[in-house]
Amino acid sequence: MSLTVIIIIVAVAVVLIACAVAARGAMMRRRRLQERFGPEYERTVEAQDSRRAGEHELRERQERHDALDIRPLPAAVRDRYSLDWARVQEQFVDRPDDAVHDADRLVTTLMSERGYPTEGYEQQLKDLSVEHGRTLEHYRAAHDVNERSSSHQATTEELRGAMVHYRALFEELLHNGDQPGRSAA
């Protein structure tokens, strides 16, 4: 074999290896995003023009989230919020619409106390998606019912479901993203 052929073979091998390394890196980044965002990964990718654009959106969310001052709650504050939640649930029997509206306000207040900006629903979803992607669908469902409840278009059963959905996110936020009963890492 001539030297030229050897150089071409080596160059092609180097390019193929570089492509394989790049593809593996992209696959690992994708897997990390999927693990971090859970179901929100697919939702975001489907809402964008391409997988690449969706993943870029998720990385931007992560960067914004990393710049936030998200704080764990002290035990006394968690206890106060637990009491507030119990009051909201108690009012459901007599005033379900009001209870759902109050649950929404309480969740928003809790987000703010933890350090999440509360400048608008869509931004709340994006900020929460980084740590709470698996619970976000609960928040979306509850918010939808809350919106319809404002114009008295939600049934009592839907309102009950909204309370259950709000509670899922409330509990996760209350316990610093950890499951109740376990210490936060």
Side-chain angles (χ1 to χ4, degrees), residues 36-113:
R36 176 100 195 230
F37 287 91
E40 190 65 14
Y41 173 88
E42 287 302 325
R43 177 187 269 283
T44 303
V45 167
E46 288 174 10
Q48 297 293 325
D49 295 336
S50 68
R51 180 172 300 280
R52 185 179 191 151
E55 289 176 351
H56 179 74
E57 160 76 19
L58 293 171
R59 283 190 300 275
E60 284 181 344
R61 289 182 192 186
Q62 193 166 346
E63 287 173 14
R64 175 182 160 94
H65 181 274
D66 291 348
L68 299 174
D69 182 24
I70 305 300
R71 302 170 296 279
L73 297 174
V77 174
R78 283 195 313 268
D79 292 345
R80 187 189 79 225
Y81 273 104
S82 291
L83 290 172
D84 290 345
W85 181 263
R87 282 191 280 276
V88 168
Q89 279 187 286
E90 287 171 6
Q91 80 176 359
F92 184 83
V93 173
D94 296 323
R95 298 182 348 260
D97 286 313
D98 292 340
V100 169
H101 298 312
D102 288 348
D104 181 74
R105 279 192 292 275
L106 185 59
V107 166
T108 302
T109 302
L110 178 55
M111 281 184 227
S112 178
E113 184 133 3

Side-chain angles (χ1 to χ4, degrees), residues 12-28:
V12 168
V14 168
V15 168
L16 289 175
I17 290 170
C19 288
V21 168
R24 180 163 169 75
M27 197 165 45
M28 288 173 57

